[in-house]
Amino acid sequence: MNILAIDPGSTSTKVGVWRAGKLVKASIEHPRGEIESFHSVMEQLDYRMERLARYLRENDVDRLPWDAVVGRGGLVRPVPSGVYLVEEPLIKDLKDGVSGEHAANLGGVMAHAVAASKGVPAYVVDPPVIDEMWPVARLSGMAGIERRSMFHALNQKAVARDVARELGRDYAELNLIVVHMGGGITAGAHRKGLVVDVNNGLNGDGPFSPERTGGLPVVGVLELVERGAFTTGELKGIVARRGGVYSYLNTVDMREVEARAQGGDAEASLVQEAMIYQIAKEIGGLAAALSGAVDGIVLTGGLAFGAAVVEGVRERVGFIAPVFVRPGEFEIEALVDGALRVLSGTEAARRYAGGTDEDRG
């Protein structure tokens, strides 16, 4: 089978070509100045499509007879985990940004554009808004504000399945706590194949990360607004992009932070330790949510390459369950694997109906 996988990020479009049982990956880089010239994510569509087409031509794969094209899922309406056929309701919600604007919203639209030109199906896999949360996990403590499921679902599910294979078990048999540690940090309680509780790292929930604030003292935030220090729009930008480590140390590069800490920078050391501390607390809370029945803790994402972060978290939570480390992201692999499951008939593709009960059927 020949499968094309497309994974748009903020300043790159990652590409995977699955051919003759072999996966070749690449990253098409987009200079920040070029990306920032667009007023919205969807305005980047033609720009990214042109660069994707150029990559496919230059690597002599543009004429391959694709069996399917699969894109990273975006911020659509809450849906269960699975592989979704890209059709008009999904495309509309991706373009409208019904749950927010993110580069991932381009994944399904780009996949559909390529697939339509070849007369083959397009899919998205495990969008970041998959919602399998327990009802009890939704309550925030204030009526009218509900905790939302929005996380690194594609990579979390991929590494959870990988650890299950290592253990010789089925993912649906295990209780795992999976922590994706990148520019944002999300930790999910995977109970027998369902993510029953998870923090919304994009919108200010959970541990702080290199660029996100995580949960903040509410009264402190309200006082900033009262004083006119920030508008609500500015605060949203800080929560999602200019909080966390960046707000303390003016960098999001944890390699730099680790080097500064090792060099005796007391502030860098404290900030690094505080982030590790908050990650460990989040894991501990999820262990309690699972009543202590945890088969493993999985650390993944770019920060899992850093020894200081991994070992710091392991020291604090190793008593709960064995710790497995899967550095980096496996999103391209997860996209291809999802398409293969559908094409081989081992999993049926779901049809997105705009957040209605049909999505949960």
Side-chain angles (χ1 to χ4, degrees):
M1 293 182 183
N2 298 316
I3 298 170
L4 174 64
I6 305 169
D7 179 9
S10 58
T11 57
S12 69
T13 301
K14 295 181 175 62
V15 180
V17 174
W18 173 268
R19 177 169 53 168
K22 182 179 179 182
L23 177 63
V24 176
K25 299 192 297 181
S27 181
I28 304 169
E29 300 302 318
H30 307 307
R32 187 171 293 276
E34 293 182 8
I35 286 294
E36 291 180 349
S37 69
F38 297 97
H39 298 295
S40 69
V41 162
M42 280 301 150
E43 285 186 10
Q44 302 169 19
L45 180 59
D46 290 343
Y47 165 86
R48 294 205 190 220
M49 288 296 297
E50 189 279 326
R51 277 149 184 77
L52 174 63
R54 183 194 305 171
Y55 168 83
L56 296 176
R57 286 195 306 270
E58 291 175 350
N59 289 273
D60 199 28
V61 292
D62 58 318
R63 296 184 183 276
L64 275 181
W66 304 114
D67 292 284
V69 184
V70 58
R72 183 180 177 189
L75 304 183
V76 291
R77 301 176 197 272
V79 292
S81 174
V83 182
Y84 286 81
L85 184 66
V86 180
E87 298 176 291
E88 186 53 38
L90 182 63
I91 293 171
K92 181 180 186 303
D93 278 358
L94 287 170
K95 289 184 174 181
D96 290 347
V98 293
S99 291
E101 185 174 74
H102 193 280
N105 291 10
L106 289 161
V109 180
M110 293 178 71
H112 183 266
V114 177
S117 71
K118 300 285 187 176
V120 299
Y123 303 105
V124 296
V125 182
D126 287 339
V129 291
I130 67 169
D131 189 349
E132 302 164 336
M133 287 175 67
W134 279 327
V136 71
R138 300 183 190 282
L139 272 65
S140 67
M142 181 173 179
I145 299 177
E146 185 177 86
R147 293 187 65 232
R148 299 172 62 194
S149 179
M150 189 179 292
F151 66 109
H152 301 91
L154 185 61
N155 194 50
Q156 282 208 24
K157 290 272 187 176
V159 297
R161 291 187 180 101
D162 185 61
V163 168
R165 284 191 289 267
E166 179 180 332
L167 294 174
R169 305 273 299 281
D170 189 277
Y171 170 51
E173 299 174 353
L174 295 172
N175 287 351
L176 300 170
I177 296 172
V178 184
V179 188
H180 180 107
M181 305 183 300
I185 295 174
T186 58
H190 295 236
R191 183 181 183 276
K192 302 190 184 307
L194 299 176
V195 184
V196 297
D197 198 352
V198 66
N199 69 292
N200 182 341
L202 181 63
N203 291 340
D205 190 11
F208 74 76
S209 72
E211 56 185 51
R212 297 177 186 166
T213 63
L216 294 172
V218 176
V219 171
V221 174
L222 293 175
E223 288 173 347
L224 286 175
V225 175
E226 284 178 348
R227 295 203 306 268
F230 301 101
T231 66
T232 54
E234 289 169 340
L235 278 174
K236 287 179 180 178
I238 291 170
V239 166
R241 294 293 175 209
R242 298 188 303 279
V245 173
Y246 179 82
S247 72
Y248 291 108
L249 303 176
N250 202 36
T251 182
V252 297
D253 188 342
M254 289 306 297
R255 293 168 298 185
E256 176 188 338
V257 173
E258 184 171 345
R260 286 167 60 175
Q262 290 175 347
D265 184 325
E267 185 180 16
S269 181
L270 177 62
V271 171
Q272 177 178 260
E273 180 59 28
M275 187 183 73
I276 291 168
Y277 177 79
Q278 289 199 5
I279 294 169
K281 280 176 60 179
E282 193 76 13
I283 293 170
L286 292 177
L290 293 171
S291 301
V294 183
D295 296 299
I297 297 165
V298 189
L299 306 180
T300 186
L303 299 189
F305 284 109
V309 172
V310 169
E311 294 310 312
V313 173
R314 192 196 303 270
E315 287 176 9
R316 290 186 177 274
V317 304
F319 73 95
I320 297 171
V323 177
F324 301 86
V325 183
R326 296 293 187 271
E329 298 178 353
F330 301 89
E331 293 176 338
I332 289 291
E333 290 87 346
L335 291 174
V336 170
D337 186 55
L340 285 171
R341 293 196 303 271
V342 169
L343 293 174
S344 66
T346 60
E347 180 176 330
R350 290 178 175 267
R351 305 190 78 160
Y352 177 83
T356 69
D357 287 342
E358 292 179 49
D359 289 326
R360 294 180 282 277

